[in-house]
Amino acid sequence: VSVLIFNTTSHCFVLVKQFRPAVYMCEWEKAKTKTSQGAEKTEEGEASESQEGQSATTEDTSSQWPPASAGVTYELCAGLVDKPDLPLEEIARQEVLEECGYDVPASKLKRITSYRKNS
């Protein structure tokens, strides 16, 4: 279930800021690939003292991790529908409380659309 939240006081939509390890690792792999490609280009060119210094610097940065912000995403408040005994509105209400801190009555939630995900 996903919930699009509109804060009526500040007149804005509310998104959830999440750190996603899979996104972070993907960004790390991209950075690693770019760095190794840059090192290969440097090695193919003419060797000079300045290029050797750049190559060493490039190798040093390839082992560095990107900043944590590389794994941050902004998403709708959402959660799994894993409680078959509860209606969707109640699951959505619980997710809003858990992720955003808003205690919204289920009666205030309005269904916008629905779909079934095929496996």
Side-chain angles (χ1 to χ4, degrees), residues 19-31 65-66 70-71:
F19 176 79
R20 297 291 185 188
V23 173
Y24 182 79
M25 292 308 294
C26 183
E27 292 301 316
W28 180 69
E29 285 293 330
K30 284 181 192 175
W65 293 84

Side-chain angles (χ1 to χ4, degrees), residues 68-79:
S69 60
V72 172
T73 62
Y74 294 90
E75 311 167 2
L76 292 176
C77 174

